Amino acid sequence: METPPVVLAYRGYGTPDRVFVRGHVLDDRLLYDPEPGDSLWRNLRAMLSRYLSTTIPDTKVDIQFNGQSYQVRTDERGQFELLAEGPHKLPEGWHPVAFRVHNPLDEGPSFLEHQEEVYISHGTHEFGVISDVDDTILVSHATETFRKLRLILTKNAATRLPFPGVPAFYQSLCAGKEGDCNNPIFFISSSEWNLYDFLVDFCQARNIPKGIFLLQALKSGLKDFFRTGGGTHSHKLDKARHLMEVFPDLKFILIGDSGQHDAQLYAQLSESHPGRVLAVYIRDVTNRKNSETIHALYADHPHLEGKVCLSDDTLRVARHAFEHGWISEAGLQTVAQQVEEHQSK
């Protein structure tokens, strides 16, 4: 039985001058809302569907944004991209964008539609946040293949866990020093676009602020599934540099972990963009030798003196952010409360 195509569009981002939108058109993709009580089979089926679905090349996609109509076509990988140049006379914040593709099947609606959002920044924020995902906000065991795959296959977005204090810390960063800001957050991950819906659902389920995701190229097949999250991770640096270029008036707080070379990549970013990096927070998830290597690395970057915090404790990182004026005292107290509640369980 043939199935209609699925438009998998991602949250866009940009400024009043230019907006970036992207997505894929897929076939045989299972989409459903995860529940805490979902069976092992349901979780397994949903995850494998993310990697076994096929892309549909050379398909026209109609996009509606800010009263304007755009037409793009998917490339050989089933991906479409749009750079909508302004001026877009829109206030800062989230704005709707609509996608539509023709249904080639005789049954069902003539068009398949999808709604998403675009974040517009005027560059007036205190700062932006660039964060990794695996083993930074989401417990993933990314450096241990068997444990990583077991989590991916047996859990879903409603049952995977964040690190203690992470939701409150990220909420505090977005709220800023006075607790009333809306600082943007960008998630850059070595996870593939296959996991986009999972990551969005996870953040929503765990009260992690809504952000923009920049992920690795879509993969297809079981072989790619078993290699999920792999590679050199250098793409993170490219994407972070892209954000620095798109939002030239923003300074950034960078957050990662010690398992995927985030420290090294962030050091390069801070060197190539002097004065743009306010702080670097690295979650320590590896061995002592690797931690010593990271400390030595930042010792070679004196412009980052006092800006780096390497720790496996979210509360310690939050204290550093409070002392430097990035989060409010109320925000720090909320992080402390979340960590204490976790420890008392």
Side-chain angles (χ1 to χ4, degrees), residues 1-6 26-31 48-50 52-54 56:
M1 177 180 175
E2 289 185 298
T3 58
V6 173
L26 307 174
D27 194 15
D28 296 323
R29 176 64 182 267
L30 172 68
L31 296 174
L48 290 179
S49 173
R50 293 183 173 100
L52 296 179
S53 58
T54 55
I56 304 179

Side-chain angles (χ1 to χ4, degrees), residues 128-132 170 184-188 236 239-241 243-244 252-256 266 269:
V129 177
I130 294 176
S131 174
D132 182 43
Y170 280 64
I185 184 165
F186 304 88
F187 295 105
I188 297 178
K236 294 181 183 179
K239 291 178 172 64
R241 284 174 170 164
L243 292 174
M244 291 274 192
F252 287 91
I253 289 176
L254 312 178
I255 310 177
Y266 290 164
L269 185 66

Side-chain angles (χ1 to χ4, degrees), residues 227-261:
R227 295 177 177 176
T228 178
T232 65
H233 310 293
S234 60
H235 72 96
K236 294 181 183 179
L237 180 59
D238 296 334
K239 291 178 172 64
R241 284 174 170 164
H242 165 71
L243 292 174
M244 291 274 192
E245 188 270 331
V246 172
F247 304 103
D249 298 324
L250 272 185
K251 296 183 179 181
F252 287 91
I253 289 176
L254 312 178
I255 310 177
D257 67 85
S258 60
Q260 294 186 336
H261 308 292

